[in-house]
Amino acid sequence: MKAWSALHEPAAPSLPLPQRRVRWATAIGTVWVVVVLSLWAWQRWLAPPWGEMTALPPASCNLQFGSCRAEFPDGSALEVTLAPRPVPSDTPITLHLRTVGFEPRSVGIDLNGETMNMGPNHTALVGGRDGVWTGATALTACVTGAMVWVLEVRAPVGGGERVARFRFETGEP
């Protein structure tokens, strides 16, 4: 049987003062980096505005003839262009969207009739450089000939979402 002193190893000697300071400095530096990255992530993805911020383009805006811009109360904006023009039914159309003054996590659009539900037509746009987002969709054919459409853009940013609604007409009355 071993003696009591042989069963217990002596305690490891403590680190010299310079090594302890290096470990503390490393720990403090790591905490500082985590705090800075957390604040950046908060500002980028979670910060207010909370809820929905809505923008409407001017009444003179018509996507059949050119780009339309909708400005938000904070001065940021969305600019939408559809191609080809005039916008046809049952034919692929290309959507170009540019964000000004904010960087959304994603951008999605929904196209539907203003007075007639034409079924789901949701499209997620693909982000590019300089706030440009693109995608493709098609308008469903309407048996009445003329149709008033609402293109709704949803762009989540911070803890909320930017929403803009663009109205345009297709077909012959």
Side-chain angles (χ1 to χ4, degrees), residues 110-133:
D110 182 36
L111 266 168
N112 214 327
E114 184 175 62
T115 59
M116 183 184 306
N117 186 346
M118 301 300 285
N121 190 345
H122 308 290
T123 303
L125 304 184
V126 177
R129 295 169 27 154
D130 300 324
V132 176
W133 297 76

Side-chain angles (χ1 to χ4, degrees), residues 7 10 14 23 55 66 71 82 85-86 92 127 132 139 150 156:
L7 292 176
S14 64
R23 285 193 176 179
E71 294 199 15
L82 302 179
R85 286 189 295 257
V132 176
L139 299 180
V150 176

